[in-house]
Amino acid sequence: AHHDSFSPSVWTSFSFHPMESLLQSVVLPIAVFVMPMHYSVLIVLLVIMTVSSVINHLNIEIFPAGFAENRFGKWLVGATHHALHHTQFRFNYG
């Protein structure tokens, strides 16, 4: 499903096998159980995760050239790395 998209689009970020979706949806409630947080923090987290996923599947790099070598860039995944993840998914670039 998700990795069958060699040229990712916005819809790819929502394309998952039902079992994979179920497993991913269990992580956040477990995290909230272990580390309680206010519901507004949870909503902000979900929005950031969704927007980040959509941006990474647009195939449009929003970070400047050389950003990946920057100390902040080493912690963020851009569309370029995620496109590699989809075209050469032998490794996890995303």
Side-chain angles (χ1 to χ4, degrees):
H2 182 80
H3 290 110
D4 290 338
S5 300
F6 295 115
S7 179
S9 71
V10 174
W11 300 113
T12 306
S13 57
F14 301 106
S15 170
F16 289 98
H17 185 276
M19 185 57 74
E20 187 176 5
S21 296
L22 178 67
L23 290 173
Q24 287 182 0
S25 68
V26 169
V27 172
L28 215 45
I30 290 173
V32 170
F33 182 74
V34 172
M35 183 178 58
M37 62 183 79
H38 194 269
Y39 72 92
S40 60
V41 173
L42 184 60
I43 297 300
V44 169
L45 179 63
L46 288 169
V47 168
I48 289 171
M49 288 170 54
T50 302
V51 169
S52 173
S53 179
V54 167
I55 289 172
N56 281 341
H57 287 93
L58 284 175
N59 268 341
I60 300 170
E61 186 58 71
I62 63 169
F63 297 121
F67 185 75
E69 287 79 36
N70 176 310
R71 68 178 174 168
F72 297 111
K74 291 179 180 182
W75 291 93
L76 298 172
V77 175
T80 303
H81 287 102
H82 203 81
L84 285 172
H85 172 70
H86 277 272
T87 58
Q88 303 171 14
F89 51 88
R90 295 169 297 173
F91 308 103
N92 187 2
Y93 295 100

